[in-house]
Amino acid sequence: MRDTVIFDFGGVITSSPFAAFNRLERERGVPIDLIRRLNATDPDSNAWARFERAEIDVATFDRDFAAEARTLGHELRGRDVLPLLYGDIRPRMVHALDWLKREGFHIGCITNNVPAGDTPRDPQAVAAVAAVLARFDHVVESSKVGIRKPDPRIYLMMCETLNKRPDQCVYLDDLGVNCKAAAQLGMAAIKVSGEGQALDELCAALGVAPGHF
């Protein structure tokens, strides 16, 4: 029986930043999905990966991200991308968290994030995110543990803390590469393309009535 649900945060609990990335790309006259392309190139050693593991500071990220963009023939600073990372909290996802807790499920969050304080945030938005994170039994942040998805160790770290096997877990993420890593460990992985789709598939994975959330 799968009695544990592990969520990504950005793009799952909150709306995806990809639309905001595309708006910036249009404003700057650079190719659509350039930011995602940069993030996918040398994915374990690029500026984004190193920043999410807290191996570099924000100034170095800004410089190195710009250098990577320049290698592809475009001008884009890392600092210009950072404010776009935070989407809107999805109310139905929060309702699902509350229902899962109430029904006795274990819930965790694994997030690839950047060090706190390195991105401009509205205090009210920070408080709202903190209130959601407080619902989880455990949160693993890449910037604090120095490991990021899709490294299998970060999923196993969560399982160990929750005292669960991977085959007892459902995992939700908006990136296929992260879902693939979870599935290879034995988790039931759900690739999130939208709030309704994700929650319907979560209902199916847990054996509860469709539309329950």
Side-chain angles (χ1 to χ4, degrees):
M1 175 184 175
R2 299 188 189 272
D3 61 0
T4 301
V5 184
I6 303 171
F7 295 80
D8 178 25
F9 199 82
V12 176
I13 301 298
T14 65
S15 57
S16 172
F18 297 155
F21 289 172
N22 290 163
R23 285 195 298 271
L24 177 64
E25 289 157 347
R26 283 191 289 269
E27 290 170 4
R28 299 300 174 86
V30 299
I32 294 298
D33 290 335
L34 172 66
I35 296 169
R36 295 179 69 180
R37 180 182 173 190
L38 288 167
N39 293 349
T41 302
D42 298 324
D44 197 48
S45 59
N46 63 28
W48 201 285
R50 289 181 289 126
F51 195 32
E52 287 188 332
R53 293 193 299 261
E55 295 172 357
I56 57 176
D57 61 16
V58 67
T60 305
F61 168 74
D62 179 54
R63 182 196 67 208
D64 290 358
F65 185 91
E68 291 167 1
R70 205 168 294 120
T71 297
L72 297 180
H74 306 288
E75 291 293 331
L76 190 63
R77 305 291 307 191
R79 284 186 185 273
D80 296 334
V81 178
L82 291 178
L84 310 179
L85 295 179
Y86 305 101
D88 298 324
I89 294 172
R90 290 168 161 163
R92 287 183 63 195
M93 282 292 180
V94 177
H95 171 71
L97 295 179
D98 291 339
W99 185 90
L100 290 165
K101 287 284 286 186
R102 189 167 60 248
E103 295 299 315
F105 287 86
H106 301 276
I107 56 174
C109 177
I110 304 175
T111 177
N112 286 352
N113 63 357
V114 300
D118 280 336
T119 54
R121 301 290 306 277
D122 172 68
Q124 189 171 359
V126 171
V129 168
V132 175
L133 290 174
R135 289 168 158 85
F136 292 103
D137 297 314
H138 188 60
V139 178
V140 178
E141 302 177 61
S142 67
S143 64
K144 292 183 178 179
V145 300
I147 306 170
R148 66 193 290 272
K149 298 173 292 184
D151 189 321
R153 292 177 296 170
I154 201 167
Y155 305 89
L156 295 175
M157 188 179 297
M158 174 64 77
C159 289
E160 182 178 357
T161 300
L162 296 179
N163 195 28
K164 296 293 176 180
R165 301 185 311 273
D167 64 3
Q168 294 176 290
C169 303
V170 179
Y171 178 73
L172 298 91
D173 201 296
D174 62 328
L175 294 181
V177 65
N178 295 340
C179 289
K180 181 179 179 181
Q184 287 174 338
L185 291 172
M187 296 182 182
I190 297 172
K191 185 179 184 300
V192 176
S193 58
E195 187 176 30
Q197 162 266 330
L199 292 174
D200 285 347
E201 291 191 32
L202 179 58
C203 285
L206 297 177
V208 301
H212 201 84
F213 304 125

